[in-house]
Amino acid sequence: MKYFLTFAFLFISLFAFSQSSAINIDERLFDSHEEDYLKRLENQHPSILSYLNFSLDNLWEIQTYPEGKLADIEIIEFEK
């Protein structure tokens, strides 16, 4: 019986601990999204908030440069 209670206590403790890890809202998201929207994501859809936090540091940006600045850059063209 002691083993069962010990196992049950450990299992419940681990489950409660894993649920308490909250995703922090990156401050840069407030520049492009309303605070209410971010709070709703935090409570209802933490996976979307996690994706937004990840995308702040890991997305690509495609820019157009003047012809003179492209001398040392390899140009990649895509077919339409």
Side-chain angles (χ1 to χ4, degrees):
M1 184 68 173
K2 288 182 184 180
Y3 294 115
F4 175 76
L5 290 175
T6 303
F7 178 77
F9 176 76
L10 289 174
F11 180 77
I12 291 171
S13 298
L14 284 173
F15 184 76
F17 178 72
S18 67
Q19 295 298 320
S20 67
S21 60
I23 297 173
N24 296 329
I25 300 173
D26 193 304
E27 292 296 321
R28 296 175 290 176
L29 288 174
F30 290 110
D31 294 338
S32 59
H33 300 288
E34 295 180 4
E35 183 176 357
D36 293 338
Y37 174 71
L38 294 173
K39 293 294 183 184
R40 273 187 282 133
L41 284 181
E42 185 177 34
N43 294 329
Q44 298 173 0
H45 303 287
S47 61
I48 295 174
L49 182 60
S50 177
Y51 175 76
L52 289 174
N53 284 338
F54 175 82
S55 67
L56 288 172
D57 294 324
N58 298 295
L59 285 182
W60 290 40
E61 183 176 344
I62 299 174
Q63 297 181 351
T64 304
Y65 288 99
E67 287 294 324
K69 292 195 175 218
L70 295 177
D72 297 332
I73 299 174
E74 180 183 352
I75 297 174
I76 300 173
E77 294 183 16
F78 296 97
E79 294 180 14
K80 291 184 180 181

